[in-house]
């Protein structure tokens, strides 16, 4: 309705938001943006080799629950565990395929399929 102010949030501020690729260029900025907008529980799916410096800084700055979930998107079990209780998934992880076409498929298509299957299993909102 025009002239009325409504809360345009898709989920409450205390909902669990999952961000894959959270240590990357775009993912780390997304985490910061979510925290800046008042979300209080951001689960960051990161590789074991991921640089956590930006996420640690965001955690200290906002005092929010920035949960670090270390795993591998090629693992269906890791995807299932990461999506547990999540309301929204922001899938920022991507395989660049620097080595070969099959590598690109494995690290983009297969990982995305694993994540989508886990979201369906847990009934993730978006």
């Amino acid at each position: 309705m025009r002239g009325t102010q409504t809360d345009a949030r898709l989920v409450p501020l205390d909902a669990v938001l999952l961000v894959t690729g959270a240590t990357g260029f775009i993912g780390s900025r997304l985490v910061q943006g979510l925290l800046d907008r008042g979300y209080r529980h951001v689960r960051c799916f990161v590789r074991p080799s991921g640089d956590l410096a930006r996420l640690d800084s965001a955690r200290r700055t906002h005092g929010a629950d920035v949960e670090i979930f270390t795993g591998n998107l090629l693992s269906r079990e890791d995807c299932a565990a990461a999506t547990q209780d999540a309301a929204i998934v922001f899938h920022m992880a991507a395989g660049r395929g620097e080595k070969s076409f099959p590598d690109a498929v494995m690290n983009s298509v297969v990982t995305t399929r694993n994540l989508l299957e886990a979201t369906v299993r847990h009934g993730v909102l978006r």
Side-chain angles (χ1 to χ4, degrees):
M1 288 171 107
R2 288 187 177 183
T4 62
Q5 186 176 4
T6 61
D7 186 357
R9 297 183 191 280
L10 296 173
V11 295
L13 291 173
D14 60 350
V16 177
L17 308 179
L18 173 63
V19 178
T20 69
T23 59
F25 181 77
I26 296 172
S28 63
R29 284 157 178 78
L30 173 61
V31 170
Q32 185 67 45
L34 292 169
L35 295 171
D36 288 346
R37 285 164 181 77
Y39 289 98
R40 296 187 293 268
H41 189 132
V42 180
R43 181 177 298 151
C44 301
F45 196 123
V46 301
R47 294 179 187 191
S49 61
D51 180 3
L52 304 178
R54 283 188 228 155
L55 298 178
D56 288 337
S57 174
R59 183 185 318 187
R60 285 190 306 275
T61 301
H62 290 280
D65 184 9
V66 178
E67 177 187 349
I68 304 300
F69 182 92
T70 304
N72 188 330
L73 291 170
L74 288 171
S75 165
R76 289 180 174 172
E77 293 79 20
D78 287 354
C79 290
T83 56
Q84 181 73 40
D85 300 323
I88 296 178
V89 175
F90 297 92
H91 184 37
M92 302 290 111
R96 296 184 299 254
E98 295 169 341
K99 297 177 185 170
S100 66
F101 180 75
D103 182 55
V105 169
M106 178 69 78
N107 289 304
S108 288
V109 176
V110 174
T111 56
T112 300
R113 183 198 64 212
N114 289 346
L115 190 62
L116 288 173
E117 287 175 354
T119 63
V120 169
R121 182 182 325 160
H122 292 298
V124 174
L125 179 64
R126 292 182 183 257

